[in-house]
Amino acid sequence: MSDRLRTLWSRCRAVVTRDRLDREFDEELTTHLELLVDEYCRSGRSHQDARREALRTLGRLELLRETHREQRGMPLIEAVAQDLRYAVRMLWKSPAFTAVVTLSLALGIGASAALFSLVDDLLLRSLPVREPDRLLQVQVRQTSTVFGITKISTSFPSAAFDFIRTHNQVFSEIVGFNALDRPVVMIDGIAEPARQVEEVSQNFFRDLGVPTASGRTPDSSDGPVAIMSHRFWRSRFEGSSSVSGRSLSIDGQSYTVIGVAAPQFLGLSLESAPDLWISSAGLSAGPSLQMIARLKSGATPSQAQAGLELLFNQLARARPGIVPGGRRDEPPAHVMALAAGKGLSALRAQYERPLLALTGLVTLVLLITCTNVGNLLMVRNAARRREVAVRTALGAGRSRLVQQYLVESALLAVLGGTLALGFARSGVSFILSMLPLPAMPRWLDLPRRRSHVGLRGGCVAGERAALRAGSGVACRTGGSHGRPEIQPGRYLDETQPPARPRAACVPGRLVGAPVDRRGIVRPDAAKPGAPGRWLQSRQPVAGLTGHSGKRLPRGAGRRTLPPAARACDGNTWRPVGHRHPQYRDATRYHPDDHAHPRPHRT
Amino acid sequence: MHSKLDILQGTLDLMVLRTLSTLGPLHGYGIARRIELVSGDHVILNQGTIYTSLVRLQQRGWIRSKWGVSDNNRRAKFYAITRLGEKQLVAETEHWERLAAVMGRVLSTGGTTQ
């Protein structure tokens, strides 16, 4: 061990055993002093003279103690700890001042943090893929000459995708993806609740450079294979290492799971987060594919746009109708190559400027807050002149006093910052509630945003019951042996025979279980046997009925809810309130929640 | 000229190590008195500063301490040199002798080159 490490270890120990070491050093000094006094007495001096001489020889005791303490311990840390204790006492003595400063800071920091969270997620953060700055999305815009309406096409037939991929000169890689429309996912023969699935080209993961948490990415020799999102893997398979090689069925087609995407990759779109990506050798691609391309090094977006325009024109001439603008009766099409490195989002263009303007305003507010707090501190310090004078008289230097004030300020900042966390969370919710969002943005689903989770008391009956909540539908099934039995697509309405009691539906969504901020029931916390409750949809979806088979009146409010509890599936369901109208669209719920709904089809 | 010598930075540690190596375990007073005696009272030593040196040496592991009883029956902390301290003493002594020899040569020749 080097001298420095030994010294550091010794100093650390000395901080812990400070009092004992102080006592021991006092004892040493006393012994030393007495031995000196004895020596001087032996030389014929009086005891008083001997003691005076001994003290002179030994040095100023208080200074020696201080020097010894500094040498053996960690003076800076000890001084900061001392200042911290003192600062706590001082702030405790002035509760009004502390409260005003803390609240001011909390509001200022909280508002800034809330807004910056949104700006960061929506505008700043790049996709966790290779070279995101060179990714472009291919779009075709057609402006009607009659009405002046611009139509934007982002999806193209797989034949167009193959043509562009083969003939382009400016892109090093082109990948395609297509979100499946309400796919039926079955695992081990049991249908899953609604999952988001994207069909992707085989080169999607490899060419985008998406890292995997486990397993591998598809290659050209693979048949139908699937990659799971990290979140789906954790929630559905509890992070099992044996998930690779499992088979699952999507819309009747069997796929083999070959890997799990890295946790930070949630897909290319900010407004959705797929659970599964599937690919096969012959990309069926459904009706169409969205194209994401990576520019070759040295190529510019304008070159890419020109090249694409040419290819699209060729394609339109060769196969009219396959791409927009190919027919004579259609308005002319303009191909665009737009930056996609920060993910695809319909919200970005809409909210970019307001968010930036708001951020500027909030930053100004934060500056004003800081100025106010600074003024308050200055006024307070002016009132502490006497205290400073006493400390200076006792030997405190300027640096020691400055350190004391800095520690006090830091303590206030920590208090304000801690409180600001709460304000920031509420702020994000508030801002989102103010925005007329067309869909539930993905950033709300990011794992790190799980801190938004709030608890609503009570529990839903049924151990690990499969809960469904949303568009006026809540389904719950209870399997045998206490195991959940998920039966997606089973909605009880007039057509559902009451002889199938396992699936029980009530209008509205289940509450009572812990729910996240969007109101999604978390079934893992459901306790068996507890009475369930349900919320009535403020805007019931047409065609949905309660388990009783009676349709609730449109716009039924809290007051019009039937006061009596309902017996359903062996449990009691009691109306307790309304679902927020923002969540009426079932597709906005994230599929990771076991309780997410399935759009009802009438 | 000064009748007594100020101690150069770092030399007190070497003196303490030498003292402990020669006399064995000693308390602070004993070390300070020994240094003063050996120097023929030419060294100005504020005896309290010996404890700063002792802490420094102990932190580096060159000496260790143990409570004991002094000759006049008082409880005192006795310091003893460790094996690491002995090695350090040899190295430091060699370094000091080289430095002193160089200084001696330079000063004896008046700083002129031969």
Side-chain angles (χ1 to χ4, degrees), chain A residues 469-471 541 583-590 596-600:
Chain A
S471 293
V541 178
Y583 303 118
R584 70 175 184 277
D585 185 352
T587 59
R588 290 177 194 166
Y589 292 95
H590 192 273
H596 69 97
R598 223 178 142 78
H600 188 81

Side-chain angles (χ1 to χ4, degrees), chain A residues 505-555:
Chain A
C505 299
V506 290
R509 66 180 173 78
L510 299 177
V511 294
V515 292
D516 68 11
R517 62 175 298 282
R518 291 160 299 157
I520 303 299
V521 181
R522 293 195 293 129
D524 54 327
K527 284 183 184 173
R533 295 183 296 173
W534 53 273
L535 280 178
Q536 160 110 35
S537 166
R538 198 182 284 276
Q539 292 174 296
V541 178
L544 292 183
T545 63
H547 69 283
S548 61
K550 288 181 182 174
R551 187 174 305 203
L552 285 174
R554 181 174 291 276

Side-chain angles (χ1 to χ4, degrees), chain A residues 175-196:
Chain A
V175 300
F177 70 97
N178 170 51
L180 297 188
D181 183 23
R182 299 163 192 163
V184 176
V185 180
M186 298 187 78
I187 298 174
D188 297 335
I190 299 172
E192 287 285 295
R195 299 289 181 195
Q196 290 192 35

Side-chain angles (χ1 to χ4, degrees), chain A residues 103-277:
Chain A
L103 273 175
S104 303
L105 285 175
L107 283 171
I109 298 171
S112 306
L115 213 55
F116 185 74
S117 298
L118 296 179
V119 170
D120 182 39
D121 280 333
L122 192 62
L123 307 179
L124 302 180
R125 193 171 303 163
S126 293
L127 289 171
V129 299
R130 194 176 63 240
E131 298 177 298
D133 294 342
R134 285 168 52 204
L135 290 182
L136 297 173
Q137 186 194 22
V138 180
Q139 286 188 0
V140 171
R141 296 188 179 197
Q142 292 172 287
T143 305
S144 164
T145 50
V146 181
F147 301 107
I149 299 168
T150 302
K151 178 190 168 192
I152 300 173
S153 307
T154 54
S155 297
F156 309 98
S158 52
F161 173 76
D162 290 337
F163 181 83
I164 304 288
R165 204 168 143 196
T166 314
H167 293 88
N168 94 86
Q169 303 285 324
V170 287
F171 297 122
S172 55
E173 292 107 14
I174 300 181
V175 300
F177 70 97
N178 170 51
L180 297 188
D181 183 23
R182 299 163 192 163
V184 176
V185 180
M186 298 187 78
I187 298 174
D188 297 335
I190 299 172
E192 287 285 295
R195 299 289 181 195
Q196 290 192 35
V197 181
E198 275 184 2
E199 186 169 26
V200 297
S201 54
Q202 268 192 330
N203 63 337
F204 182 86
F205 285 91
R206 188 187 64 234
D207 286 352
L208 276 181
V210 177
T212 54
S214 70
R216 61 181 180 85
T217 55
D219 58 43
S220 54
S221 62
D222 281 324
V225 291
I227 300 274
M228 283 182 184
S229 75
H230 193 268
R231 187 159 44 180
F232 180 56
W233 175 56
R234 293 293 299 270
S235 62
R236 175 64 179 79
F237 296 97
E238 294 165 351
S240 164
S241 56
S242 61
V243 76
S244 282
R246 284 190 73 148
S247 179
L248 50 85
S249 158
I250 296 168
D251 287 341
Q253 167 80 41
S254 180
Y255 293 86
T256 306
V257 177
I258 59 166
V260 178
Q264 65 269 27
F265 183 72
L266 301 170
L268 295 180
S269 171
L270 295 186
E271 275 98 49
S272 66
D275 300 301
L276 291 159
W277 292 273

Side-chain angles (χ1 to χ4, degrees), chain A residues 24 27 97 101 143 152 219 250 256 261 292 313 327 355 366 529 602:
Chain A
E24 286 184 4
E27 197 172 350
F97 166 81
V101 170
T143 305
I152 300 173
D219 58 43
I250 296 168
T256 306
I292 300 292
N313 287 339
R327 295 197 189 93
L355 272 179
L366 181 62
T602 54

Side-chain angles (χ1 to χ4, degrees), chain A residues 408-421:
Chain A
E408 271 191 37
S409 303
L411 183 62
L412 281 170
V414 168
L415 286 174
T418 310
L419 201 58
L421 284 177

Side-chain angles (χ1 to χ4, degrees), chain A residues 419-443:
Chain A
L419 201 58
L421 284 177
F423 280 120
R425 287 176 188 168
S426 314
V428 170
S429 307
F430 175 72
I431 293 168
L432 289 173
S433 69
M434 298 290 284
L435 300 177
L437 295 175
M440 182 60 67
R442 191 187 67 186
W443 69 74

